[in-house]
Amino acid sequence: MRQILALSVCSEVFPLIKTGGLADVTGALPAALRPHGITMRTLVPGYPAVLAQLGSAERVLEDPNFFGGAARLLAGTAAGLEVFVLDAPHLYARPGNPYVDGQGRDWPDNPQRFAALALAGAVIGGGMVAGFVPDIVHAHDWQAGLAPAYIAFSEGRRPATVMTVHNLAFQGQVPASLLATLRLPASAYTPDGLEYYGAIGMLKAGLRYADRLTTVSPSYAAEICTPEGGMGMDGLLRARAHRLCGILNGIDTQVWDPGQDALLPAPFSAGDLVGRDLSKSAVQAQFGLKADSAALLFGVVSRLTHQKGMDLLLEALESLLEAGAQLAVLGSGDVAFQEAFLLAADRYPGRVGVRLGYDEGLAHRLQAGCDAILVPSRFEPCGLTQLCALRYGAVPVVSRVGGLADSVIDANEAAVAAGVATGVQFWPVTAAGLRAAIARVAVLWANRLAWTRMQAQGMAFDVSWAAPGKRYAALFKEVVLF
Ligand code: ADP
């Protein structure tokens, strides 16, 4: 089998640096591709957190003036990943989050910071690092969007390119005046090139110039080609639809393994759910909810934002409580939503519990202890929460959009009769739609035998990276070999 070399270009990768699902995907792909004869290395910015985890590394390139300062490209291993790290202190030696300052404002030089990342990817793609000349460069989201463009404009060696969109809502529009600073040719600044309504579109560049486009679920791939879901990119995406496909993400089934999860009070499996009951009691205690194993316990593990439909949940809250259910919310995000959930917890003591912040351990316990997990997103490229829920026997209750539609089988009469239902879907994505879904869940909960069957069906659903790894590998081979 011919080995294919792939370079992944991304602004975050688990476990080195993570702010969202993107890092989980970039972190999982190298191992998922390996069995298929694809060796993937990952290029990431040298944030302090990344450099701190980089073991002994080799300096493979350097440039005294790379986007306004000295930069070195380091090759090494970090937390088990083969990485290239772009060490450019003037761009990345900053505390905290990769994208924003302590006040939550975008770093003003984000265009330069991520153009540098993308150009470094194109340079490696051009064959400048002896010993790793990739057949393919895989760019993720707007932060890496210029990589396929730099490669397309290059006079030298050109690897194949794949652009993956994890969330079309983030597009990296930057001022046109930066064209020369970002080392982009003026001739490319046209509507058919990287121009986007008077700005440079960093994601648009990737969508325009990459050989293949992917996104993280088949339904989202279809949605982003429509005016409703295309966020202004649908015209370009429709024109390139023959190059676009959706591949549903997996999750790390070792990190998410209810049979041996040290973050839980006790392990459990589909055949032995006793440990689940202990997690439910623990969640009820930790969230200040009434200890009651018979109460239907809904959980939320989410960014608290409009995209995630948190306003719909607040609107539907009374119906949820009228159904006799409880709600445990873990999340952080918009201040208004945070306050509204805290207020609800005050108003309904023992029935609504809220923890603000990001807490991996608590997320695992909620998945293990809640009876159902609510994901009422307005749009959802893939969504990982519902995949974790399936694996942990928490019945996912999801809006019928994007990856949620592709990963949950609705408990309609036919699916229940056929023994394939794994959760509940609702549509339209409104408070009324969510209320109706909650009512359906309450009815399902009342039939505990059927509920347990649905739980077991969800737990048997393959959420691993095995199938997605195979699909990415097939795509990479197709684009490289044909
Ligand atoms: P996003 O749009 O935020 O990337 P995803 O569902 O794709 O949404 O991935 C987010 C991941 O982070 C999920 O696994 C989710 O459960 C987890 N997560 C979200 N918020 C929190 C939190 N406050 N604490 C712990 N984990 C969280």
Side-chain angles (χ1 to χ4, degrees):
M1 182 163 56
R2 175 174 170 318
Q3 278 290 319
I4 289 180
L5 296 187
L7 177 72
S8 171
V9 183
C10 53
S11 56
E12 48 184 282
V13 57
F14 182 83
L16 301 181
I17 179 95
K18 169 174 166 171
T19 71
L22 163 65
D24 290 320
V25 177
T26 54
L29 263 181
L33 290 168
R34 207 169 297 129
H36 305 287
I38 295 175
T39 301
M40 175 172 263
R41 291 190 76 126
T42 308
L43 168 66
V44 273
Y47 312 117
V50 170
L51 289 170
Q53 293 172 78
L54 183 64
S56 63
E58 189 192 346
R59 181 187 307 190
V60 290
L61 289 176
E62 60 192 314
D63 185 335
N65 185 17
F66 196 60
F67 291 88
R72 306 178 307 160
L73 186 68
L74 307 173
T77 308
L81 289 169
E82 296 288 310
V83 290
F84 288 113
V85 174
L86 180 57
D87 180 21
H90 63 294
L91 300 173
Y92 308 125
R94 301 172 196 183
N97 180 293
Y99 314 118
V100 295
D101 65 16
Q103 271 73 53
R105 290 171 305 215
D106 286 352
W107 293 111
D109 58 347
N110 273 351
Q112 289 87 335
R113 296 174 76 223
F114 295 110
L117 173 73
L119 185 55
V123 166
I124 301 170
M128 300 303 284
V129 176
F132 192 86
V133 179
D135 301 289
I136 189 158
V137 169
H138 186 193
H140 296 270
D141 273 353
W142 71 265
Q143 294 91 342
L146 288 180
Y150 288 128
I151 289 168
F153 304 148
S154 146
E155 307 268 292
R157 177 185 187 274
R158 287 198 197 117
T161 51
V162 173
M163 177 81 224
T164 293
V165 180
H166 297 263
N167 191 338
L168 194 64
F170 304 110
Q171 302 188 345
Q173 251 80 265
V174 309
S177 56
L178 289 176
L179 205 62
T181 308
L182 302 187
R183 307 190 191 186
L184 293 164
S187 58
Y189 187 71
T190 64
D192 182 41
L194 4 109
E195 190 264 352
Y196 186 77
Y197 292 102
I200 300 166
M202 292 175 81
L203 178 65
K204 183 190 171 186
L207 299 177
R208 163 67 181 79
Y209 291 104
D211 296 318
R212 289 284 195 286
L213 311 176
T214 79
T215 188
V216 288
S217 69
S219 288
Y220 193 59
E223 287 166 13
I224 59 178
C225 289
T226 67
E228 297 76 32
M231 300 194 165
M233 295 291 174
D234 49 296
L236 173 58
L237 287 165
R238 275 197 301 282
R240 304 207 69 210
H242 58 300
R243 304 275 177 190
L244 167 68
C245 72
I247 302 176
L248 195 70
N249 289 331
I251 55 171
D252 186 329
T253 47
Q254 284 177 336
V255 172
W256 291 96
D257 180 358
Q260 42 196 348
D261 186 337
L263 298 167
L264 305 183
F268 65 93
S269 64
D272 177 7
L273 292 171
V274 176
R276 251 198 142 261
D277 299 336
L278 295 176
S279 279
K280 182 167 180 176
S281 304
V283 168
Q284 285 174 328
Q286 204 162 354
F287 281 78
L289 302 171
K290 183 165 171 251
D292 179 358
S293 62
L296 168 57
L297 172 58
F298 284 99
V300 169
V301 184
S302 179
R303 288 188 285 121
L304 303 180
T305 64
H306 184 257
Q307 178 204 329
K308 298 290 181 182
M310 288 299 116
D311 50 328
L312 307 178
L313 176 56
L314 286 161
E315 275 186 65
L317 185 59
E318 283 187 11
S319 311
L320 184 151
L321 298 174
E322 277 160 20
Q326 299 177 336
L327 177 66
V329 177
L330 167 65
S332 62
D334 296 355
V335 174
F337 289 135
Q338 297 189 166
E339 285 172 358
F341 278 114
L342 287 176
L343 214 63
D346 271 354
R347 186 151 170 218
Y348 304 110
R351 308 179 71 192
V352 177
V354 175
R355 290 286 173 281
L356 297 181
Y358 191 94
D359 186 330
E360 203 80 39
L362 204 48
H364 282 237
R365 288 189 288 281
L366 279 168
Q367 297 283 11
C370 292
D371 301 303
I373 292 286
L374 290 164
V375 193
S377 306
R378 286 196 164 76
F379 69 93
E380 194 59 80
C382 175
L384 299 176
T385 321
Q386 84 283 6
L387 301 180
C388 302
L390 286 167
R391 181 137 169 96
Y392 274 53
V395 171
V397 180
V398 304
S399 49
R400 190 179 299 136
V401 298
L404 302 175
D406 294 339
S407 57
V408 174
I409 301 173
D410 180 61
N412 56 50
E413 243 173 79
V416 171
V420 296
T422 60
V424 167
Q425 294 189 352
F426 68 92
W427 179 264
V429 193
T430 58
L434 178 56
R435 278 193 205 100
I438 289 167
R440 285 181 63 207
V441 176
V443 170
L444 289 162
W445 174 248
N447 180 347
R448 217 51 60 84
L449 201 64
W451 183 272
T452 312
R453 203 176 308 131
M454 181 162 63
Q455 242 180 340
Q457 281 148 201
M459 292 179 84
F461 188 77
D462 183 8
V463 292
S464 77
W465 272 98
K470 203 167 158 189
R471 291 207 60 202
Y472 274 105
L475 174 82
F476 284 9
K477 285 177 186 169
E478 186 193 300
V479 67
V480 168
L481 303 176
F482 302 109

